Amino acid sequence: MSARNILVINCGSSSIKFALINEAQPHFTLSGLAERLGSPQAELHWKNAEGKRSELIQGADHRQALSRILPLAEKAAGGQLHGIGHRVVHGGEHFTSACLIDQAALQAIAATAALAPLHNPANLQGIEAALKLFPQLPQVAVFDTAFHQSMPEHAYRYAVPEALYRQHGVRRYGFHGTSHRFVSQRASELCQLDYQASCWLTAHLGNGCSTAAVVNGHSQDTSMGLTPLEGLVMGTRSGDVDPNLHGHLARTLGWSLEQIDQMLNKESGLLGLSGLSNDMRALEEAREQGHAGATLAIEVFCYRLAKSLAAMGCALPRLDGLIFTGGIGENSPLIRSRTVAHLRLLNLALDETANAQCIRGQEGAIQAAGHPRVLVVPTNEERQIALDTLALLPA
Ligand code: ADP
C-alpha cells in the first residue's frame, strides 16, 4: 500500500488551520490558514512544494474556504486523499479517544457545546462543512480533552456540591491532550523507554499553557480544568486566581460577568502583568532592556509553572523526565532555566550549553550530568491527529 495522506483541519470561529500529512514524510506537504472568515478581508494563506501563497477569499465562510482548500489538498496529495482529521476542543466525558464521525458523534459533540461555547460550535461548523463537501471521505474527530479522561476521580473532581458534577458536568477536563500525548510518547522513543512503563511531567507552553503528569502512557493529572483558564499564567489568561475574585470585582467595582470573563481570558496573563505584550519573545527583549513589567511577568510565569510541575509530581510514582514543548517551551532557554531553578527539590538542574542549543525545532536532553532528565521535544499536534485518523480508517 502506498503512503496515505490525511488532511488535518482545526476550525476556529473565524479561522481554519489546515495541514496535509503524508504518513511517510516528516514535513507537511501542505499547510495553511484561512482567516477573518465571514468578513470582506477573509484571506487564505498556504505553503506547499511550490512556496508560499496568499489569496483574498472575500466574504468566504467556513464552507467556501474549505471548498478552496480541498483542491489544494488533493493536488498536494497527488489526487489521493485518504481521510480528514478534525481537532475538536471538548469531548466532555463522552469521548475518551478519537472517533469516526457519524450522526451519533455529531450529536455528542453538539451536546458538549455548553462546556466549550466558543470552540465546539466552530469545530462542528467545520466538520459539517467538510462532510457536505467530501461525503465519501472517512472523517475523524480528535479531542483535546480525551487524553485526560484517564485522570483518577480525586484529580478531576472539584470540591463543590456533587450535583454540579452529576447534573451539569462541572469537573476538571484538561486540554492540550494531543500535545501532552505526542511529546510524552516521543520522549519515551528518544530515551528508549517503554511508553507503557514511563513517568513524565510535561509542560506545553504556547499561547495557552498547561502541565500534565503522564504515567504509563495515561494522563493522571493536568493543570487546566473545566475550561482552559485554570492553572498556569498564559499569554492573555490569568490562570489560577482566588475564586472569590469574581464576587469581589462584582461587589466593589460593579463589574458584570462578561467584563470579568473578558479581563481574565483576554487582558490578563503575560499581557496583564507586563502591561506590554502577550508574546514571550517581545517580553524577553523588553526584559533585556530593563523593562520592569516584562521582568515581573517572566518571573511570575516561571514560578507558577514550577509550582504546577511540583504539584503534578504528586501523581508520579517516579520521574523519568520533565518535557518542555510549545512555542515557548521549544524556543526559550531563559524560561526553561528560570523554571528549573525553582525545582531544586526535585533535584533538577540544566546544562546551560545544551539548553541554549535546543531551539527552533531542535529536540534533545538539556539536564546537567547526574540530574533527572529534562527534555525539549517539539510538539506536532497535526501529526498526532493524522496518526489517530489513520488508526481509525476502515481497512
Ligand atoms: P499557539 O498556542 O498559538 O500554538 P505557539 O505554540 O506557537 O502558540 O507559542 C506561541 C508563544 O511562543 C508566543 O508567546 C511566542 O512569543 C513564543 N515564542 C516563539 N518563539 C520564541 C522564542 N524564540 N523565544 C521565546 N518565546 C518564543
Side-chain angles (χ1 to χ4, degrees), residues 17-241:
K17 283 191 205 149
F18 57 96
L20 183 73
I21 285 112
N22 178 285
E23 61 183 329
Q25 292 181 26
H27 299 295
F28 301 154
T29 30
L30 166 77
S31 62
L33 168 73
E35 59 180 352
R36 295 191 287 272
L37 293 177
S39 84
Q41 292 83 33
E43 242 186 316
L44 179 63
H45 313 275
W46 73 93
K47 188 175 147 195
N48 58 15
E50 290 154 24
K52 283 186 184 174
R53 288 278 307 276
S54 288
E55 109 187 357
L56 204 62
I57 46 171
Q58 220 169 30
D61 60 11
H62 285 77
R63 184 164 174 190
Q64 287 160 333
L66 279 173
S67 67
R68 180 69 190 95
I69 292 166
L70 176 70
L72 291 173
E74 284 192 315
K75 187 167 167 227
Q80 282 282 309
L81 203 53
H82 295 83
I84 299 182
H86 294 268
R87 175 188 179 220
V88 179
V89 168
H90 217 307
E93 287 189 328
H94 188 89
F95 293 102
T96 57
S97 61
C99 77
L100 265 173
I101 297 171
D102 56 14
Q103 274 312 314
L106 284 175
Q107 277 169 12
I109 295 168
T112 58
L115 292 169
L118 294 180
H119 294 104
N120 271 34
N123 299 153
L124 209 51
Q125 220 179 340
I127 293 174
E128 281 167 350
L131 284 172
K132 286 208 180 90
L133 287 165
F134 329 125
Q136 76 292 358
L137 273 184
Q139 305 202 24
V140 167
V142 180
F143 302 90
D144 261 24
T145 51
F147 183 54
H148 300 302
Q149 279 296 302
S150 49
M151 284 194 284
E153 193 164 9
H154 62 253
Y156 73 68
R157 286 289 295 275
Y158 290 115
V160 296
E162 190 190 9
L164 286 174
Y165 168 55
R166 300 263 173 239
Q167 293 164 27
H168 303 287
V170 174
R171 53 159 282 181
R172 310 184 59 253
Y173 292 93
F175 299 87
H176 293 145
T178 309
S179 178
H180 291 293
R181 185 156 55 105
F182 180 85
V183 298
S184 52
Q185 229 160 354
R186 177 70 193 138
S188 301
E189 264 172 39
L190 274 176
C191 302
Q192 298 180 330
L193 295 174
D194 175 5
Y195 187 47
Q196 303 307 328
S198 65
C199 300
W200 302 102
L201 288 177
T202 52
H204 175 101
L205 311 173
N207 281 310
C209 300
S210 66
T211 57
V214 183
V215 178
N216 304 339
H218 302 286
S219 172
Q220 294 297 293
D221 202 353
T222 189
S223 59
M224 284 178 166
L226 174 72
T227 76
L229 185 57
E230 188 176 333
L232 306 178
V233 173
M234 312 183 207
T236 61
R237 295 189 197 123
S238 62
D240 293 342
V241 291

Side-chain angles (χ1 to χ4, degrees), residues 303-339:
Y303 179 67
R304 287 269 299 274
L305 169 57
K307 195 163 137 176
S308 172
L309 288 166
M312 287 296 141
C314 293
L316 299 184
R318 62 162 204 283
L319 181 64
D320 286 326
L322 161 63
I323 304 164
F324 284 100
T325 194
I328 299 172
E330 293 166 27
N331 290 296
S332 177
L334 174 74
I335 297 301
R336 297 189 297 241
S337 182
R338 302 293 305 154
T339 303

Side-chain angles (χ1 to χ4, degrees), residues 381-393:
E381 289 163 280
E382 293 83 0
R383 178 160 293 275
Q384 186 65 58
I385 291 172
L387 291 172
D388 289 352
T389 304
L390 284 167
L392 288 173
L393 291 190

